[in-house]
Amino acid sequence: MGLWQIIGLGLLFAVLAAVLFIWGLKKEEDPGSAVERRLLNAAGSKVEKYLKKHESITTAEIETLVKGTKVSAPWSRKRVQVQNAKLFTKNLLPYLLQQQIIEEVGKGSYQLRRK
């Protein structure tokens, strides 16, 4: 192995280490919003699954359904769980309406959006 090959491998290793370092910083930049998005998706999936079996769902039923929902980031052992279902539902409903998963059919009552 020649001197130039060793220098080339050293430079390649340095570039690879820098890329991995920057990627790690990017992942840690805003972990809260990524986990929050995962929690909204998990709770939304529960609501959607419920609505496939039932005609409609009320806000109170959504609160009961999503209470205790847990998620974690793929690169972390920390888990986030819904503690205050009433407060979380206030964030979940606008998200589901914006994603056009559900539609409001009455005051506090929702159904799957018809396509």
Side-chain angles (χ1 to χ4, degrees), residues 38-58:
R38 288 177 62 90
L39 190 58
L40 286 170
N41 285 334
S45 294
K46 283 186 173 186
V47 171
E48 190 173 3
K49 184 186 273 187
Y50 178 89
L51 285 171
K52 286 183 180 179
K53 295 179 182 176
H54 300 86
E55 190 68 28
S56 65
I57 190 169
T58 64

Side-chain angles (χ1 to χ4, degrees), residues 102-113:
I102 63 172
E103 61 186 5
E104 193 167 7
V105 291
K107 183 148 176 70
S109 183
Y110 303 89
Q111 69 181 15
L112 272 180
R113 186 166 193 271

Side-chain angles (χ1 to χ4, degrees), residues 7-8 11-12 31 33 43 48 66 83 91 98:
I7 293 173
L11 287 174
L12 181 65
S33 67
E48 190 173 3
V66 301
Q83 297 286 331
N91 292 331
Q98 178 191 11

Side-chain angles (χ1 to χ4, degrees), residues 28-93:
E28 289 294 322
E29 192 172 282
D30 195 10
S33 67
V35 173
E36 182 182 350
R37 209 170 30 255
R38 288 177 62 90
L39 190 58
L40 286 170
N41 285 334
S45 294
K46 283 186 173 186
V47 171
E48 190 173 3
K49 184 186 273 187
Y50 178 89
L51 285 171
K52 286 183 180 179
K53 295 179 182 176
H54 300 86
E55 190 68 28
S56 65
I57 190 169
T58 64
T59 305
E61 290 172 327
I62 293 173
E63 291 171 6
T64 305
L65 190 64
V66 301
K67 185 171 179 116
T69 302
K70 295 179 187 178
V71 297
S72 66
W75 61 88
S76 174
R77 291 185 182 179
K78 295 179 184 176
R79 296 182 67 78
V80 177
Q81 179 177 359
V82 174
Q83 297 286 331
N84 186 344
K86 190 172 203 144
L87 181 63
F88 180 74
T89 301
K90 288 182 181 179
N91 292 331
L92 178 63
L93 287 174

